[in-house]
Structures are given as structure tokens and as C-alpha cells.
Amino acid sequence: QDFAAFQAQLLHKIIPGAVVMHDFPGGGLGKHVDYSAVAQELDQVAYNNYPVWGGQKEPLSPSEIAFGLDYIRGLKGKNFWITEAIMGAQGHDITGFLPRPNQAKLWSWQGMAHGCEGLMYFRYRGATKGAEQFCYGILDADNVPRRRFFEVQNFFREVRPYEQALSAPVHSDVAILYDFDALASFRIQQQSILLDCETEMKRLHSALFRTGQSVDIIPASRDFSRYKLVLVPNLIVTDPHVAARLKAYVDGGGVAVVTYRTAVKDRDNNLVFGKTIPVDLGDLLGLYVEETESVQEYDCIPLAGEKGSGTAGIFRDMVVPQGAQVLWRYDDPFYRSYAAITRNTYGQGAAYYLGTTPNQAILDRVLCQAMEEVGLERLDLPEGVESAVRGEGDSRVRILLNHNDVSIQALGQELAPFQVKVLPMV
């Protein structure tokens, strides 16, 4: 961060008015540098968006691609650039999956739908020398325009009329919070061989993605008071300031969903003597955690609720409610007295607690209940179809993206394979 600040200050001194930018690769939540801290020294954040790379047999799922875009947008809380968009097959030594016709164009549209306002492809013409000879771009080394060239040309023609809508800020009513110290803590002590914080964040994000909800992924240090719904996954390292802000948020009418391994350690990565987990959040959540267990399996814990049964796994807290409503209990012989998932009214809002990682059906049900409390729209989208709303006022549009390789019906629209439709919102 200090080096980035030095470079930015030097450039601004030499070239007043210069836009200082850095392009970030994916996987920022697993790095040993805090992307969000570096981003504060920059005028503009850029992203290298590779939904598929090297030896991957198939691209990332649509929600995973969206997660990466939302995370990059959250670094500065504003629109970003994509300085490396994929068009051809990629790989330094092992060449990867070739995007199907119109699939890379779809990914370009997806970037715009999530806040990209300037896009370049990597690369324009394939290299004839060096390590990246097999990073195929718009043109091959023979310099002959083919399908990919005309696909790029077509994308820019399609996107240009929507410049006003796509230049406007992205509006999200939901935020997912993360903390660089908490991520570092899990790298030191993973606690369960299956517990990966980024995967857990993606699980939550995916459930919202499937409903058509826009999500900001932001550091917990940032102001989150304007959001209707805030998700706090595995924030193991925290402090009284975060706890106070979260309480004020819920007290004022917000809804929070907090997961296990949150508020366990202090800023020095130490357990807190004399305080019960979740530290400083027991009154907000209406509970305390009596014991914990790492189960090292998926879907091995039976759950029971008023509306059915299900499973959970990875980790679990033995939750003792103290005012919280029990939504789901553990249903194995020794632990039926403990809650697994709860909801607590606090001030004008509510706080949910996930004491374990539930299966998708239960997670969807809990998040849908939380969304209903704050009046968030839930779209009924087919698998592989994405919806995003961009623009303000008269320029608002809904962007429908079919990530499937077959035609599909969605929101009354017939979408061909990898087709994008932009619908005016009146």
C-alpha cells in the first residue's frame, strides 16, 4: 500500500490530472495484500476478468464470475474498468477452454452489468514470441479477422447506445462484509479443512444472485448503514467498533445475517478473556455459543425446523437462545437442545444467526425470509439466467443474460444461447 501511495503521489505531481490506475487479478480475498487498502491510493480500479483460464475444462459459474466483478467494484465503491477481457482461449503453457460463439461477448456484457464502464480485450493481436503466445485474442498471429474479431465489433456496437445507463453508479440494497485481518486469521488457523471464507461468501452471494439481487462486497470498515440487508460471514476478527456499528444498523431498521466464526477474536488475533462468543454481539443476536465443533464434512448434520428438515456441515456452533427465535435446530441425538439458525428482533430491525453451513434449500429459505422483511424483490429466474438493473431515471434498463448453451424462457423473454437482452424499465 505504501509503495502504491508513493507511485500515485509521484505521478500526480509530475502529471497533474493524471488518472492513476492499477489492474487487479482475480482471487483478491486469498492474497497476502489487502486489495481494498491499495485501491484507496488509486483514482481508478481495473480488473482482469478471466472466467476461464489455462487447463480449466469449463468456465466458472455465472454467479462466481459475478462475485469477482462485485468484489472489484466494492474496492472503491464505484464503477471500474476491465483492462483484460477474454475473447479467445487462454493459457501460458496449458491452453484452456475456447469460449463458445457469443459466450465471451456475454461475459463482456456481464462486466458492464456489474459496473464496468470501460473495457479492453487482452489481447488485440496474438503474440508471436514470449510466454503468452497461446493467450489468444481478437486476432490470431496471422492477422486475419475471423469470428472473434466480428464478435468484439458487434459487442461495442450493441453496448454504445446504453452508455448513460452503464456509466451511472450501480445501486445495491445488499452488502456482504469482509475483513482482511479475519481472512488472514483463517489462513493461520483454518479450523476446518473444508472452511474457506471466500467459498462461504460465494455461497451467500450465489443465493442472492439467483433472485436477481445486486450485491456490494465491501470491507467491514466501510459505512454500511444505507443498505437494507447486510451479510456478515465468518468475521472471526472484530472489535467493539464493528459491533457497535452493526448494532446501530439493526437498531435503526436494518436486517443482518451473521454466520458462525464471527466475533470470536480481537484485533490481535487472540481469544477474548472473560467474554462469551459472539463477543459483544450476544445481545444483538439474542444468543450465546456454548460449544463449537468442526465436522470436516458437507451435509452430515441433520437439521429440523417448523417447515421441514435438511442438512448442514463444515462447522457448527451449539447455540443457546437468549431471546432469539429458533428457526432450525440440530436433529442428531446429542445436540437436539441446541439451535442451529435463529432470528432475533433488535430495535427496529432483526438479526439472523447461521450457526452452521446449511444446505442450499435452507440457506435460500432463510435469506428469502430476510429479504422479505426489508421488501427486496425476488425474481424467479431459471438456472443460468442473470438479471441486472442499471441506470437511473428514464435511462434505467434491465439486462437479461442467458449463460446457458440452450435457449430458455425468462421473465417473459425468449433468450437464445449466450444471448443478452436489454429491456427498458418504465
Side-chain angles (χ1 to χ4, degrees):
Q1 181 183 358
D2 290 343
F3 185 56
F6 163 74
Q7 289 182 306
Q9 291 164 10
L10 183 62
L11 285 168
H12 284 142
K13 182 178 178 180
I14 297 171
I15 315 170
V19 175
V20 179
M21 177 189 73
H22 178 72
D23 58 327
F24 291 89
L29 291 168
K31 305 291 186 184
H32 291 269
V33 60
D34 185 352
Y35 277 17
S36 66
V38 174
Q40 299 319 302
E41 310 299 338
L42 307 171
D43 300 310
Q44 185 68 49
V45 164
Y47 184 43
N48 299 335
N49 186 32
Y50 287 96
V52 67
W53 175 262
Q56 286 177 243
K57 293 181 179 179
E58 58 185 21
L60 299 175
S61 69
S63 64
E64 275 200 83
I65 303 168
F67 180 91
L69 296 164
D70 290 342
Y71 166 70
I72 289 294
R73 188 182 69 249
L75 294 182
K76 287 186 74 70
K78 70 174 194 177
N79 291 351
F80 57 96
W81 297 352
I82 291 177
T83 44
E84 293 188 20
I86 188 174
M87 182 47 64
Q90 300 289 321
H92 290 160
D93 50 356
I94 304 298
T95 303
F97 174 98
L98 173 64
R100 304 316 186 220
N102 289 318
Q103 190 172 26
K105 176 184 165 186
L106 172 84
W107 293 331
S108 300
W109 263 110
Q110 187 182 25
M112 309 307 286
H114 286 264
C116 171
E117 61 181 22
L119 180 144
M120 294 182 284
Y121 288 94
F122 184 85
R123 48 196 312 145
Y124 176 69
R125 185 183 295 107
T128 58
K129 300 178 178 67
E132 297 187 334
Q133 296 176 44
F134 298 123
C135 293
Y136 293 98
I138 298 171
L139 295 173
D140 289 333
D142 63 8
N143 211 32
V144 177
R146 294 189 179 90
R147 174 190 64 84
R148 301 196 305 272
F149 177 89
F150 297 112
E151 196 168 305
V152 167
Q153 197 174 60
N154 188 249
F155 165 70
F156 285 118
R157 283 174 179 160
E158 284 184 6
V159 81
R160 190 173 294 117
Y162 302 102
E163 180 179 359
Q164 184 178 352
L166 298 174
S167 298
V170 173
H171 175 78
S172 302
D173 289 316
V174 183
I176 296 177
L177 307 185
Y178 66 90
D179 182 277
F180 183 73
D181 291 342
L183 295 170
S185 177
F186 278 109
R187 285 198 294 270
I188 298 167
Q189 296 172 301
Q190 189 178 359
Q191 297 174 68
S192 169
I193 58 174
L194 300 180
L195 179 50
D196 178 84
C197 293
E198 185 171 352
T199 299
E200 294 305 296
M201 290 172 67
K202 287 177 179 176
R203 195 189 307 270
L204 295 167
H205 180 275
S206 177
L208 296 161
F209 174 88
R210 292 192 298 272
T211 69
Q213 233 2 272
S214 179
V215 181
D216 288 347
I217 301 170
I218 61 173
S221 57
R222 195 169 300 165
D223 179 24
F224 50 80
S225 60
R226 73 166 185 83
Y227 294 97
K228 294 182 179 179
L229 176 63
V230 167
L231 280 57
V232 189
N234 310 119
L235 207 68
I236 191 167
V237 171
T238 186
D239 54 52
H241 302 294
V242 174
R245 289 165 53 231
L246 194 58
K247 289 178 185 179
Y249 164 76
V250 176
D251 187 45
V255 171
V257 177
V258 181
T259 81
Y260 64 92
R261 298 288 86 184
T262 293
V264 174
K265 292 188 169 192
D266 63 18
R267 277 288 161 203
D268 296 319
N269 199 35
N270 295 320
L271 296 175
V272 184
F273 179 75
K275 288 192 175 184
T276 302
I277 297 170
V279 175
D280 297 329
L281 290 179
D283 54 342
L284 170 68
L285 297 164
L287 56 83
Y288 70 86
V289 176
E290 183 152 309
E291 294 186 81
T292 63
E293 178 183 32
S294 170
V295 297
Q296 318 289 7
E297 287 185 61
Y298 300 109
D299 299 325
C300 65
I301 304 169
L303 299 181
E306 290 183 3
K307 299 181 180 178
S309 61
T311 56
I314 300 179
F315 200 95
R316 66 168 158 184
D317 289 339
M318 309 306 176
V319 174
V320 179
Q322 292 194 308
Q325 173 192 2
V326 178
L327 302 180
W328 296 84
R329 287 189 177 279
Y330 297 117
D331 199 27
D332 44 347
F334 295 104
Y335 300 115
R336 287 193 176 103
S337 61
Y338 293 109
I341 301 174
T342 60
R343 178 194 176 277
N344 189 52
T345 300
Y346 186 86
Q348 300 178 61
Y352 291 76
Y353 188 73
L354 303 180
T356 186
T357 295
N359 63 22
Q360 181 176 310
I362 295 177
L363 179 61
D364 287 346
R365 188 176 297 178
V366 173
L367 291 182
C368 284
Q369 181 177 338
M371 290 171 65
E372 286 173 1
E373 288 203 50
V374 291
L376 292 177
E377 179 186 29
R378 291 186 294 115
L379 299 179
D380 184 15
L381 295 170
E383 186 69 28
V385 174
E386 178 178 1
S387 172
V389 174
R390 294 299 317 276
E392 299 170 335
D394 294 339
S395 73
R396 288 181 83 225
V397 294
R398 182 181 301 281
I399 304 173
L400 279 181
L401 306 100
N402 180 18
H403 292 269
N404 298 292
D405 58 6
V406 295
S407 296
I408 201 162
Q409 283 271 349
L411 303 185
Q413 300 291 318
E414 178 74 23
L415 296 169
F418 306 127
Q419 185 181 9
V420 176
K421 282 192 177 182
V422 183
L423 309 172
M425 295 186 68
V426 292

